[in-house]
Amino acid sequence: MMGSRLLRRRVRTAVGGGGGGGGVGYELNVAALPVANRQVTDWTTHRARLTGTGLTRGIDRGVVFTDRITGARVLSLGSGQLDYSEAGPSFSASDVDGGCYVVWNTGSEWVVGSLTYDPTTPTITNIRTLVAQPGLDTAHAFSQNPATPYYLYVLTSSFVLQRVDVRTNTLASSGLFPKTLTAGLTGTSAPAWLTVSNNDTRFGYQRAQAESAGVWIVGTDTIVVHDIAWFEERAPYGFRFDEVHLSDSGRYMAVLGGIYFAEAAGAPRRSAYGPSPNQATIGTWSVLSGSVYQCTVTLGTGSGLRDVFRTTAGGATLLQVLAQRANGTTALAAGEWSVDAASGGTQVLRVRLTDGSNPTTFVAGFAALVSEPMCWWDVDTDRQSASVLPQGTQMTHVAWQGDVLHAANPGGNTGEMVKATPVPITADGQVVSAPTSYANTALTSVSLQHSCAMMVLAGRAADEQYIVGADLPPFSEATFGTWSVLSGSVYQVTASLAPYLRYLIGIRDVILINASREHLQTLTRRADGTTALAAGEWSVDAVSGTDQVLRVRLPDGTDPTGKVLAYPPRLNHFTVGAVRADGSDVRVVMEHHSYGWDANAYAEYPKSQIQRDGLWCATNSNHGIPGNRIDVLVAQLPRQARS
């Protein structure tokens, strides 16, 4: 698992942060966070506060500055490492004044310190080397028992679960602690994905390379554990379990699968990056009516089509998951498909692409294709469900809210959010609840990439809670053609936003970069169609198919080739955002300033972590300098008294 980070998106769940309550006097004042406007801010102020030169540029530990969007006070913890949202900083629950303990990796060791909430100058003090070192970046978690917010659980490299009292930085060895969790585990890889249920009654964990996973039930001192074969055998498709995350109650474990094509029964499981015997052979397309096309497809298994995708020419890259209509439907809306009943190994497939074009070379069909599927492990019945996903999509970036799972679904190409509630799994192993989607259009979608955590605001209804994660705009950068002179210092180019269908929205932001892709300036937009641009301005024509004509006049009037980047609207470029659990509200939490990644991209992706009380949020940043050192930034968020 850990060795192929660039090939997978990651599942995220709230780890660290206390269980709320417990005398905490404050919580996040959501109303004080600005609504996401999907516009990037100017970069100049942030660049000016960096110290050092070249790849040593950053912000020293203890420096406090004001976030330009939210006005929150941001404290730098200095150079560090934030590999996953669960990796640290992890926050304990707040004390009555809003302060808490924080644990993070400096890049060489794990340390613990005390955060003090102050209206103008938050501070980090009493920094000490953590007495027990996690075996991997995802192998620690704060107590979820309101009575013991100062306990940190650490799973060491030898799979010994230590309980640390961070007040004194000593081992709290009593009762069942320390607890060795190697019983029943197979494999040799490091510990990963330690998660804790409410009141610390259960602990979930796995080996990093998906060799085995288990749950320790504290009350009965029982360990339930399975190897990779158990997870794969229970799934109805090629699966390869990858990551596990325990629900708040501890009954259910969310199980993420690696990216695999489904195969015919008994066939070898193959990676999605290799051939798939269940892919349909598509015949010659003909017009059925209007923009609806049809053809005959052949599936060797005879099981019928279950997934149809828009692809790049020749099927190299999946661009869009098309929506299935009932068998026999001929009146299709844009982006839909239907089939007639299978006849032997063939079916008649009908498709209407989003732009109404001919599907030839741009459509792929499969008997079943599940990318990073999600299923439940019901620990109490020790059974596994089928996937909770619509076929052909992927569910990543996970946050539990009680026993409701929230996740981003980027495989749908709109970055929609989905949520699903598990039910006790019966002997047939197939009982799940259907997921509910929200924020599922291109204009309202939210992409919380590589991190997702749940704030638990006491006294709030379920849909009033917020999911938090980081936005990654470089995954939707426009692809430019060749720049040409329009007039004077105004240049133009054809720009494509085909990935994730962002061309449906169009370009929203254009920024100036240097040769190292460092963000220098946010350029100013003029009305669509404007050709007379002042220095530092840009405009576009209306979207035509997957392309737009972009015009730019740089501040110095030079050719823009290699000097600008363009993006569609997202949450708020280069920020961490909070999405209300019913999808009705999107707020900006803080800027992460991390983009422009090079070969060290995975370490430079922003991964955010919110304290469950909502008073503190952390993210990592390369400060917009590819290959730069990684700093850890902690925002002290606006607070209000608990009611």
Side-chain angles (χ1 to χ4, degrees):
M1 177 190 72
M2 307 301 289
S4 57
R5 289 170 173 162
L6 292 178
L7 300 182
R8 295 192 194 90
R9 292 182 174 90
R10 290 310 196 180
V11 172
R12 303 291 171 255
T13 186
V15 177
V24 177
Y26 298 92
E27 67 178 8
L28 174 67
N29 180 6
V30 176
L33 297 177
V35 175
N37 65 13
R38 304 180 186 276
Q39 192 84 20
V40 68
T41 61
D42 186 73
W43 199 256
T44 308
T45 304
H46 186 70
R47 291 182 70 249
R49 68 171 61 99
L50 302 180
T51 59
T53 59
L55 298 185
T56 67
R57 295 184 69 185
I59 301 178
D60 295 335
R61 179 186 293 173
V63 172
V64 177
F65 61 91
T66 300
D67 188 274
R68 296 171 302 170
I69 297 179
T70 67
R73 299 294 282 169
V74 180
L75 168 67
S76 174
L77 299 184
S79 183
Q81 183 65 43
L82 185 54
D83 201 1
Y84 291 97
S85 63
E86 298 89 337
S90 286
F91 301 103
S92 72
S94 298
D95 60 25
V96 69
D97 295 318
C100 70
Y101 296 100
V102 59
V103 170
W104 79 100
N105 190 340
T106 65
S108 59
E109 64 176 358
W110 290 90
V111 297
V112 59
S114 300
L115 285 171
T116 300
Y117 195 106
D118 182 271
T120 58
T121 313
T123 57
I124 178 74
T125 58
N126 201 19
I127 299 170
R128 297 151 290 167
T129 300
L130 196 61
V131 66
Q133 294 284 298
L136 202 64
D137 48 11
T138 54
H140 72 283
F142 267 104
S143 170
Q144 299 300 307
N145 185 344
T148 57
Y150 44 79
Y151 280 157
L152 175 75
Y153 297 102
V154 174
L155 196 54
T156 68
S157 58
S158 58
F159 274 88
V160 175
L161 185 64
Q162 294 281 8
R163 185 173 61 190
V164 178
D165 187 334
V166 294
R167 297 173 299 181
T168 57
N169 194 30
T170 57
L171 299 179
S173 299
S174 62
L176 297 175
F177 291 92
K179 175 67 176 178
T180 300
L181 298 180
T182 53
L185 287 176
T186 59
T188 60
S189 58
W193 307 112
L194 178 67
T195 50
V196 184
S197 67
N198 287 343
N199 297 313
D200 305 349
T201 59
R202 297 186 180 191
F203 294 80
Y205 53 94
Q206 72 172 72
R207 286 198 180 276
Q209 298 302 326
E211 297 166 299
S212 50
V215 175
W216 176 37
I217 304 172
V218 179
T220 58
D221 193 16
T222 303
I223 293 176
V224 184
V225 65
H226 292 289
D227 63 11
I228 188 172
W230 183 87
F231 288 99
E232 290 191 346
E233 288 173 1
R234 299 293 180 98
Y237 39 72
F239 185 69
R240 191 185 185 277
F241 108 83
D242 194 357
E243 299 171 6
V244 294
H245 300 272
L246 198 62
S247 69
D248 290 342
S249 74
R251 172 160 189 173
Y252 300 101
M253 187 87 88
V255 182
L256 172 70
I259 304 178
Y260 272 70
F261 284 123
E263 310 294 355
R269 306 186 192 281
R270 304 187 185 185
S271 165
Y273 300 101
S276 174
N278 71 334
Q279 184 169 350
T281 299
I282 295 178
T284 302
W285 291 94
S286 61
V287 176
L288 176 62
S289 62
S291 298
V292 179
Y293 291 75
Q294 67 179 13
C295 72
T296 299
V297 299
T298 303
L299 281 162
T301 63
S303 58
L305 283 172
R306 293 180 62 184
D307 301 293
V308 176
F309 300 88
R310 178 171 184 162
T311 70
T312 54
T317 303
L318 301 180
L319 296 180
Q320 180 187 10
V321 181
L322 302 182
Q324 185 175 6
R325 294 291 303 278
N327 288 357
T329 302
T330 58
L332 301 177
E336 294 184 339
W337 67 276
S338 70
V339 288
D340 284 340
S343 174
T346 65
Q347 283 186 292
V348 174
L349 168 65
R350 305 179 189 90
V351 166
R352 182 177 176 183
L353 294 186
T354 304
D355 61 3
S357 62
N358 189 316
T360 300
T361 75
F362 294 103
V363 166
F366 298 85
L369 175 58
V370 181
S371 177
E372 295 195 0
M374 183 69 65
C375 64
W376 310 120
W377 172 15
D378 184 338
V379 178
D380 286 2
T381 65
D382 200 21
R383 298 188 180 110
Q384 187 179 348
S385 73
S387 173
V388 302
L389 290 180
Q391 292 293 326
T393 61
Q394 60 188 25
M395 184 181 288
T396 60
H397 325 305
V398 171
W400 282 100
Q401 178 190 18
D403 277 339
V404 178
L405 182 67
H406 299 256
N409 188 7
N413 298 295
T414 58
E416 69 184 284
M417 301 291 290
V418 297
K419 57 183 176 181
T421 304
V423 294
I425 300 173
T426 57
D428 64 11
Q430 301 301 305
V431 180
V432 297
S433 65
T436 300
S437 298
Y438 58 91
N440 58 1
T441 70
L443 289 177
T444 62
S445 64
V446 177
S447 288
L448 301 183
Q449 302 287 337
H450 284 275
S451 54
C452 199
M454 178 68 69
M455 279 189 291
V456 180
L457 303 180
R460 303 289 185 91
D463 281 345
E464 294 177 324
Q465 311 296 335
Y466 282 81
I467 305 163
V468 173
D471 196 22
L472 272 67
F475 283 157
S476 56
E477 287 179 6
T479 300
F480 295 147
T482 301
W483 289 91
S484 62
V485 176
L486 177 62
S487 62
S489 298
V490 179
Y491 290 74
Q492 67 180 14
V493 72
T494 299
S496 173
L497 286 169
Y500 292 93
L501 298 186
R502 294 295 174 180
Y503 64 84
L504 296 173
I505 314 171
I507 292 171
R508 177 67 174 268
D509 290 302
V510 177
I511 66 173
L512 178 67
I513 60 173
N514 60 19
S516 299
R517 287 176 58 89
E518 181 181 1
H519 187 163
L520 302 178
Q521 180 181 346
T522 302
L523 303 183
T524 302
R525 183 174 188 173
R526 294 290 304 277
D528 289 1
T530 302
T531 58
L533 302 177
E537 294 184 338
W538 65 275
S539 69
V540 288
D541 282 341
V543 174
S544 175
T546 61
D547 300 331
Q548 281 188 293
V549 174
L550 169 65
R551 305 180 190 89
V552 167
R553 182 176 177 181
L554 295 189
D556 61 2
T558 58
D559 186 326
T561 301
K563 300 178 183 178
V564 297
L565 299 174
Y567 302 109
R570 294 275 297 257
L571 171 66
N572 235 90
H573 297 325
F574 315 120
T575 63
V576 177
V579 184
R580 189 162 149 160
D582 63 1
S584 64
D585 188 26
V586 184
R587 304 272 173 165
V588 178
V589 176
M590 64 182 296
E591 290 188 284
H592 58 65
H593 307 288
S594 193
Y595 97 110
W597 314 305
D598 64 1
N600 194 33
Y602 200 89
E604 298 177 34
Y605 292 172
K607 294 97 178 175
S608 62
Q609 174 65 303
I610 191 79
Q611 184 202 41
R612 298 193 83 185
D613 301 323
L615 299 186
W616 304 89
C617 183
T619 186
N620 60 317
S621 182
N622 68 0
H623 302 292
I625 306 170
N628 195 50
R629 80 181 214 196
I630 307 300
D631 280 355
V632 179
L633 308 176
V634 177
Q636 174 185 273
L637 303 180
R639 67 183 184 181
Q640 64 185 14
R642 286 196 188 276
S643 57

